[in-house]
Amino acid sequence: MVVPYKGCILFAGQDGLSHLIFFDGGSGPVSANIRNFATTRFGLNDNSVTLFRADYQDIGGLTVKNGLFTITSNGLVNLAVAAATNLPGIGTTYTFDRDFGIANDGTILFFATNGAARALYRLTPDNVISRVIGTGDLINGSPVASLGSVAVGKNGQYGVMANNGTQNLLLYAGDPAQRSQLPLTNFNSIYSISGAGEAVFVASLPQGYGLQRWNGVSAQAVFLTGTPSPGGDLYTQFDSAGITASGQVIAQARTANDLLLVVNSGSGSSKPSVVFQDGAQINVPAGPAFYNFVLNGHTGNPMIRTGWYTPDVFEVS
């Protein structure tokens, strides 16, 4: 018997086991042949609902479309934003970016692109879609030329970089009409939004270039390139970061002598400490090669994704 290769969605519960919840080609209440899944590090909320982008066909239809779906941990799938939904300022002939996230109350943030136009949208649980920010919108009187990726927090806060000739980090508590704005340079990425709405990102601020945190009022450096790590080596790069409920930043960093260094910033008067680093012993069937740090911007401990050809997921606690 020949078994065809098929993609699937796996959900890992607190029992440490992965559960198959959806197969490539499966159907939902109004959608058939759902396949080519894509999700993001902000695509899972604390209610075990996953947001993903996928191709699909309408029930009884032949045209392949693309939309945003949610799925529960027991496999109940729902078409959240259908193809050609009319979006303010961008019309119906757009494509969904691979850039979206979901908050605990089910609010969805997503990007859509139509030619040179790109915009961020917010879908609330009452099924109302609002435009947050897009190319051509004005910030301080100057039009936005480009936008970074959205970062979504578990309690509905979200952030995005908008460039209108100046790079601006925009932080929202929910309502798209109200935001905080932080001018910066050398922006790299927003890695996480805490449950309190604090952003962790890499950029240059007056204190230097590196990993920064900002709550919409004051910005502080977490770790800067060229400064000493807990082991004494100087930081050279920051690949990822998350923030805990207590406000501790957990960062994946590099130094000249260590390509994987996971550091906890501590809080208050506590000093930064190494959580995990290259060369540590792991109880696995074969020695993994470290590939990436998977953000857990919601709750719990940081996740280490390892492997090259066959990736695995580990939790450091």
Side-chain angles (χ1 to χ4, degrees):
M1 179 177 68
V2 177
V3 179
Y5 173 84
K6 297 184 73 174
C8 64
I9 297 177
L10 296 174
F11 183 87
Q14 291 183 338
D15 54 10
L17 300 176
S18 296
H19 308 272
L20 175 64
I21 59 174
F22 200 75
F23 248 132
D24 182 278
S27 298
V30 297
S31 311
N33 197 25
I34 303 169
R35 57 187 313 175
N36 299 325
F37 318 123
T39 189
T40 74
R41 67 177 183 262
F42 301 109
L44 173 66
N45 69 17
D46 288 346
N47 299 313
S48 301
V49 175
T50 302
L51 175 67
F52 66 97
R53 189 190 70 177
D55 295 331
Y56 71 98
Q57 294 169 308
D58 293 328
I59 298 292
L62 298 176
T63 302
V64 177
K65 302 179 179 182
N66 190 257
L68 295 177
F69 293 81
T70 59
I71 188 168
T72 64
S73 59
N74 58 0
L76 296 178
V77 66
N78 173 64
L79 178 59
V81 186
T85 297
N86 194 9
L87 299 178
I90 210 167
T92 59
T93 57
Y94 53 83
T95 57
F96 292 103
D97 291 15
R98 188 171 176 171
D99 186 10
F100 44 82
I102 185 170
N104 280 354
D105 67 354
T107 296
I108 292 171
L109 280 299
F110 66 95
F111 267 106
T113 298
N114 187 349
R118 183 171 183 251
L120 176 65
Y121 293 91
R122 179 174 180 254
L123 170 65
T124 50
D126 57 1
N127 225 29
V128 174
I129 296 178
S130 303
R131 181 181 172 108
V132 178
I133 189 76
T135 52
D137 294 348
L138 299 180
I139 297 178
N140 301 334
S142 298
V144 172
S146 63
L147 293 153
S149 298
V150 66
V152 183
K154 68 175 184 176
N155 291 326
Q157 302 96 337
Y158 52 98
V160 66
M161 189 282 294
N163 190 335
N164 67 338
T166 298
Q167 293 180 333
N168 297 278
L169 182 56
L170 306 179
L171 190 59
Y172 298 82
D175 183 359
Q178 300 182 25
R179 68 189 181 213
S180 300
Q181 179 181 337
L182 178 67
L184 41 77
T185 58
N186 300 315
F187 174 80
N188 182 293
S189 181
I190 308 173
Y191 284 141
S192 186
I193 303 287
S194 76
E198 188 173 13
V200 177
F201 58 97
V202 172
S204 289
L205 291 176
Q207 58 264 39
Y209 176 80
L211 193 65
Q212 321 274 3
R213 60 192 302 169
W214 178 52
N215 61 7
V217 178
S218 62
Q220 299 177 346
V222 182
F223 304 118
L224 299 177
T225 56
T227 62
S229 68
D233 289 344
L234 303 184
Y235 290 117
T236 59
Q237 186 171 319
F238 302 99
D239 295 321
S240 191
I243 185 168
T244 68
S246 62
Q248 299 175 58
V249 175
I250 300 175
Q252 179 190 351
R254 302 188 194 192
T255 69
N257 298 310
D258 201 335
L259 296 182
L260 176 72
L261 184 68
V262 179
V263 183
N264 187 331
S265 70
S267 59
S269 60
S270 61
K271 295 182 179 181
S273 59
V274 175
V275 177
F276 194 86
Q277 66 188 102
D278 217 1
Q281 297 284 329
I282 301 180
N283 184 22
V284 291
F290 292 100
Y291 178 66
N292 200 3
F293 180 63
V294 176
L295 252 296
N296 189 342
H298 301 288
T299 60
N301 296 310
M303 307 295 285
I304 302 294
R305 178 176 181 269
T306 69
W308 188 251
Y309 298 105
T310 305
D312 301 294
V313 177
F314 294 86
E315 182 173 15
V316 178
S317 59

